[in-house]
Amino acid sequence: MRKSITLYGLTFSLPMLVWQVMFFLAPLVFLTALSFWTVRNFRVEPDFNPGNWTKMLSRGVFWDAYVRTLLLSTAAAVVTSALAFPCAYGIAFKLSETPRRWAVFLMVIPFFTSYLVRVYSWQIFLSDNGIINALLAKIGIGPFGMLNSVFGIMVGYLTLSFPLVVLLQLFSLMFIDRTLIEAAHNLRCSRLRTVFEVVVPAAKVGLVIAALFCFILTFGDFVSPLYLGGGDPPTLSILITDTTKSGQQWPRAAVIALTMIATLLAVAFAAVTYAYRERGR
Amino acid sequence: MTIKRSLSGVSSRRDFLKGASVLGGGVLAMPFLSRLAFAEPVELNMLAWYGHAEPDVVAEFEAANNVKFKPKYYTGGDNMLGLIAQSPPGTFDVILSDAEYVQQLNAAGYIEELDPHDYPLDDYFPEFQKFAGHWQDGKLYSVFTRFGFLGVAYNTEAITEKEASTYNVYWANKLKGKVGHFDWHLPNLGQISLLNGNASPYDINPSAWSALQEKTKSLRPQIGGFFDYGGTFSSLQNGQMLAMAGIGDWITGVLEKSGAKVRSVIPEEGGLQWTESFSIGKGSSKADLAKKWIQYVTSAKGQVKSASMAAYPALIPNRKGWELLAKETPEEAKRQGMLLNESNVMDMIRAGRIKYRQLPVQQSLEDWNDFWSDYKGS
C-alpha cells in the first residue's frame, strides 16, 4: 500500500530535499548550461554552442582517459574490498567489545590528517631512493619503480578509501544474524564455506555499498594520479585541469565533468540495484 | 626584590586605586593612541605568480609606505587572464605577467598605459630598455622586472654538465623513465623546437610544426611524469627524475641553494627566456601607490630583492641592480652569472643563444594545447 505524504514526514525530509536542490541539482543545471557556453578572449560567455560536446567526445585522448579512469577505479574498488574484508571480518567476529572499539577508532584516525599530506608522505616511501627501496636493498633486491606508476596510484587510492571501506564493511558484518553462522556450523559447513555461503550474502548490501564508495571516491580523485602516478598517463580529473588551463576552456571541462557524473550515476544505480536484488530473482 | 617588599611599596589603598586608575585608563586609551600614531595600512591588490608578495620581497616597501599587499596568486598566463576576466574592473592594482601575455592584457584593455619617464629604464641593459612585448605603438604598458633562462635541468650525480649540454640528453638510454616534463606545453615544445634547429622556435611553418610533433612523440617512452610546480620540486629533490624538460634555474636554483644535487645548463642548441613585468590594472583606485611599487621593485634595491626572491630566484634587467647585488651577495651574483666584470648571462643573450618564450605565431594556442594533451595521453 502506498503511504500518503504527511506534514510530519515532509518536515523531516525537507532539509534533505533543500540540500539536494541547492548543492546537487542547481550546480548540475549550471554545469549543463556551462557546457554550451563559449570562450572568447579567455572570457566565458553564455551561448548555445554544442561544439564543446562534439569537440571533446570526438577526441581520442578523452576516451583513452575515460577507459583508463574507469579501469583504475574498478580495480581500486575490487582490490580495496578484497584487502578490507579480512580486516573488517576480523574486527567484527574475532575481537571482543573493547578492542573492536579501538579498531574502529584507529580506522577513523587517518581522516584527522589531510589526504594531500598523506599522499605526499608516500613519495618518501615509494621513490627509487625511498625508504622501501632502501630496506629492500638491505636484503639485496630492488630497486623497484613504485612511484609514478599504476602501483603508486593504487597505493594512493587505498590511502583514500581503505579505512572507509573497512568501516562500511564492518558495520554491515556486525549486523549479521549470528544464529545463521551457528546454524551453518551446526550443519557441518566449513569456516571458509560459511564465509562465502553465509556471511558474504548476508552482508551483500554493505559490501557492495562499500565498494561503490571506493569507486566514487577514486573515479574523481586528482591527488593520487598526479602525485603518485606522476600524471602519466592522465586520468579524467587531470584532463579537466588540463582543459581549464587551455585558454580557460571551462565549458569543455564541464563536458568532461558531466560525463563523469553520468557515469557515476549509472554505476551507483546499477550497484544499488544489484545490492538490493534478492537471491533467486 | 621579594614579593613582600614590592607589595609594601604601595603605601595605602588610595595610592593603589590611583595607580590602578592611571594604568587602566592608559590601557584603554592605547588603541586610540596607537591609531593616531599608525594609520591603518592601505591594501594593495596584487595578481602574481607565487612569491611576489611574500615578506622577503615586499616587507621593506610595506613598512616604508604603510601598505599591505593582498596577493592573489596564479599558475600560468591562462589562469591569470581568466582571473582578470572574471573579476570586476579595478580588482587588481598591480598585475605581474609573463611577456607573452602582456599584449593580450593590453588588447583586452585590462592594463593602464604607463609613462616610461616614471621608471629607471635608463639603468637597464640596452636590450631591455624597449622590450618588444611591453610596448605597443610606442607606448609602455608593462615594466620589465625579472627574467630567467630555461634549459636542461639535471641531477649532477647522474649526468655530467657536458652530457646535459644538449637537449638530446632527454633521449639517453640511462634516462629512460627518468625524464620529467614541467606540465606546460610552451617551454617544452619550445625546447624541442630549438633542438629541431628552428631559429625562431615559436614561429614555425606547418612542416616544421609536424616535425616538432614527431620529434616530441619520440620522447614519450623516456618520460616518467608530468609535474606541476610542487611535483617538479619534489621529483628533482628526491632523485625520482634525473632530468626535467621545460624548466631552468627558477626551480633548480632554489633546490641548489638548499643543497640538492641539481643544476640547470643552457644547451648548445640554445635556451629560452621567460620574462616577468609589472603593470597597473585598469580602473585601479590606487594607481599612484601601484606606480610607487613598480618604481621600487625596478630600482637597484628592489631588483636585488627580486633577484634573490625565496620562492624562485631570477635574473634582473637593471644594471645598477647587478652592481648592488655583487656588493651585497657576491656569491649569489656569481651563481646566477650576474657579475659585470666576468662572463655573464648578457653574453649568452648577445651571442644569440637565448630565444624569447612566446605564444605560437603560425598555429593557434589551441593547436599546441591539443597536441600536448594528446602527447600526455599517448
Side-chain angles (χ1 to χ4, degrees):
Chain A
M1 197 180 80
R2 199 177 172 82
K3 286 179 184 170
S4 60
I5 299 169
T6 62
L7 185 65
Y8 180 78
L10 200 65
T11 310
F12 279 96
S13 58
L14 205 60
M16 198 189 83
L17 187 71
V18 171
W19 193 91
Q20 286 285 349
V21 170
M22 278 179 68
F23 297 109
F24 179 70
L25 201 62
L28 190 66
V29 169
F30 176 71
L31 203 63
T32 310
L34 182 67
S35 71
F36 291 97
W37 289 13
T38 299
V39 178
R40 283 191 193 91
N41 289 331
F42 297 88
R43 202 191 292 258
V44 184
E45 293 173 359
D47 196 1
F48 187 77
N49 174 18
N52 298 318
W53 285 87
T54 50
K55 169 85 182 177
M56 286 317 295
L57 300 185
S58 64
R59 288 189 69 187
V61 67
F62 168 76
W63 290 110
D64 289 347
Y66 183 83
V67 172
R68 189 179 301 123
T69 312
L70 206 61
L71 289 176
L72 281 172
S73 299
T74 308
V78 172
V79 170
T80 311
S81 295
L83 292 176
F85 185 75
C87 186
Y89 183 86
I91 298 169
F93 295 113
K94 303 293 175 192
L95 295 185
S96 57
E97 194 61 32
T98 310
R100 187 188 295 158
R101 223 174 281 156
W102 274 103
V104 171
F105 181 64
L106 288 174
M107 284 293 144
V108 173
I109 281 182
F111 296 105
F112 292 2
T113 50
S114 153
Y115 168 51
L116 182 64
V117 172
R118 282 181 283 151
V119 161
Y120 247 108
S121 61
W122 268 115
Q123 289 191 350
I124 301 164
F125 286 86
L126 298 178
S127 72
D128 288 3
N129 305 316
I131 294 169
I132 294 175
N133 273 318
L135 290 175
L136 291 174
K138 284 191 191 300
I139 53 170
I141 53 172
F144 297 103
M146 292 177 279
L147 194 60
N148 302 332
S149 66
V150 170
F151 177 78
I153 298 176
M154 282 297 155
V155 170
Y157 284 170
L158 277 166
T159 307
L160 175 67
S161 56
F162 185 82
L164 182 69
V165 172
V166 170
L167 287 173
L168 288 171
Q169 287 186 350
L170 177 63
F171 294 136
S172 164
L173 291 173
M174 277 165 60
F175 288 109
I176 289 179
D177 185 354
R178 304 287 170 118
T179 55
L180 292 174
I181 299 168
E182 282 168 22
H185 288 159
N186 289 342
L187 292 168
R188 301 182 68 81
C189 184
S190 71
R191 284 177 184 276
L192 198 64
R193 200 172 164 206
T194 307
V195 170
F196 288 105
E197 296 283 333
V198 179
V199 176
V200 170
K204 191 176 88 172
V205 174
L207 300 182
V208 172
I209 298 295
L212 174 65
F213 263 92
C214 178
F215 182 89
I216 292 170
L217 286 175
T218 55
F219 191 71
D221 182 38
F222 171 74
V223 173
S224 288
L226 188 69
Y227 293 112
L228 297 177
D232 179 24
T235 57
L236 283 176
S237 51
I238 292 177
L239 195 62
I240 286 183
T241 59
D242 284 356
T243 311
T244 58
K245 281 192 281 183
S246 310
Q248 291 291 302
Q249 276 296 350
W250 290 96
R252 288 182 193 165
V255 172
I256 305 173
L258 284 168
T259 317
M260 289 175 79
I261 291 170
T263 307
L264 286 175
L265 283 173
V267 170
F269 184 74
V272 171
T273 308
Y274 170 72
Y276 285 96
R277 195 175 60 190
E278 284 174 28
R279 254 188 167 179
R281 279 199 180 175
Chain B
M1 186 189 281
T2 63
I3 296 171
K4 203 174 177 182
R5 272 181 64 193
S6 52
L7 283 175
S8 65
V10 180
S11 55
S12 69
R13 194 166 59 178
R14 183 171 294 173
D15 287 345
F16 175 80
L17 286 172
K18 206 191 288 176
S21 307
V22 170
L23 192 70
V27 168
L28 288 172
M30 273 306 276
F32 301 100
L33 293 172
S34 61
R35 205 168 290 170
L36 285 174
F38 307 101
E40 198 72 13
V42 180
E43 220 169 55
L44 204 58
N45 291 293
M46 182 196 283
L47 182 65
W49 282 92
Y50 174 74
H52 281 268
E54 295 305 298
D56 62 298
V57 185
V58 299
E60 193 182 82
F61 179 83
E62 283 184 334
N65 295 281
N66 198 28
V67 173
K68 183 74 199 152
F69 275 99
K70 192 178 166 199
K72 173 75 186 170
Y73 291 130
Y74 62 76
T75 45
D78 281 24
N79 184 209
M80 173 202 64
L81 286 165
L83 285 168
I84 300 176
Q86 289 147 24
S87 310
T91 301
F92 302 108
D93 302 303
V94 272
I95 299 169
L96 179 94
S97 168
D98 287 55
E100 55 265 51
Y101 290 94
V102 172
Q103 286 176 355
Q104 301 199 40
L105 283 172
N106 194 18
Y110 294 145
I111 48 178
E112 297 279 2
E113 187 191 336
L114 306 173
D115 183 352
H117 300 105
D118 286 337
Y119 307 99
L121 296 178
D122 291 342
D123 296 340
Y124 280 24
F125 289 101
E127 293 84 346
F128 302 140
Q129 289 181 359
K130 231 166 175 192
F131 196 74
H134 301 158
W135 296 73
Q136 184 92 36
D137 304 326
K139 293 173 184 166
L140 179 68
Y141 287 91
S142 201
V143 188
F144 199 147
T145 310
R146 61 209 303 262
F147 66 104
F149 298 154
L150 307 173
V152 174
Y154 65 101
N155 184 308
T156 52
E157 286 180 334
I159 312 167
T160 62
E161 183 166 339
K162 191 168 180 297
E163 286 173 313
S165 292
T166 168
Y167 292 117
N168 283 315
V169 75
Y170 297 150
W171 281 262
N173 278 332
K174 67 174 175 180
L175 293 184
K176 196 167 175 63
K178 291 288 183 184
V179 180
H181 276 300
F182 179 64
D183 193 4
W184 187 21
H185 56 87
L186 271 190
N188 286 288
L189 296 180
Q191 289 189 338
I192 298 171
S193 185
L194 281 171
L195 176 61
N196 271 6
N198 297 314
S200 303
Y202 295 94
D203 189 1
I204 52 176
N205 62 30
S207 70
W209 170 231
S210 298
L212 170 58
Q213 293 179 70
E214 287 311 308
K215 185 71 180 174
T216 309
K217 282 183 202 162
S218 73
L219 181 60
R220 191 65 181 82
Q222 295 287 102
I223 300 305
F226 296 82
F227 303 97
D228 65 356
Y229 183 68
T232 303
F233 259 95
S234 59
S235 61
L236 278 173
Q237 190 160 32
N238 62 26
Q240 195 63 28
M241 292 296 123
L242 300 178
M244 188 69 70
I247 61 162
D249 194 61
W250 71 283
I251 283 185
T252 56
V254 180
L255 290 169
E256 197 181 0
K257 282 201 273 186
S258 66
K261 304 288 182 198
V262 185
R263 284 211 73 203
S264 289
V265 64
I266 301 302
E268 61 198 33
E269 296 89 0
L272 298 169
Q273 181 180 325
W274 58 266
T275 309
E276 287 175 351
S277 56
F278 273 112
S279 303
I280 299 177
K282 192 83 137 193
S284 163
S285 58
K286 297 155 201 158
D288 281 346
L289 205 50
K291 183 174 84 179
K292 218 170 179 183
W293 160 251
I294 300 175
Q295 285 169 336
Y296 170 81
V297 82
T298 52
S299 70
K301 207 197 312 182
Q303 287 275 277
V304 169
K305 291 211 177 295
S306 189
S308 25
M309 192 170 95
Y312 60 105
L315 306 167
I316 45 176
N318 187 326
R319 197 186 159 93
K320 287 190 176 162
W322 280 42
E323 288 166 6
L324 191 60
L325 186 73
K327 209 182 290 174
E328 288 190 355
T329 50
E331 60 296 338
E332 180 60 7
K334 187 171 178 58
R335 194 193 68 77
Q336 291 211 57
M338 284 194 283
L339 287 173
L340 287 166
N341 53 3
E342 54 185 70
S343 171
N344 56 48
V345 291
M346 291 310 295
D347 296 335
M348 258 195 272
I349 292 174
R350 285 164 188 163
R353 291 188 60 204
I354 305 296
K355 308 289 178 193
Y356 299 129
R357 191 184 66 201
Q358 59 183 112
L359 300 179
V361 178
Q362 298 186 41
Q363 296 79 36
S364 71
L365 189 60
E366 194 177 344
D367 289 339
W368 282 46
N369 268 320
D370 286 352
F371 168 70
W372 189 247
S373 295
D374 291 343
Y375 170 69
K376 283 175 71 178
S378 63

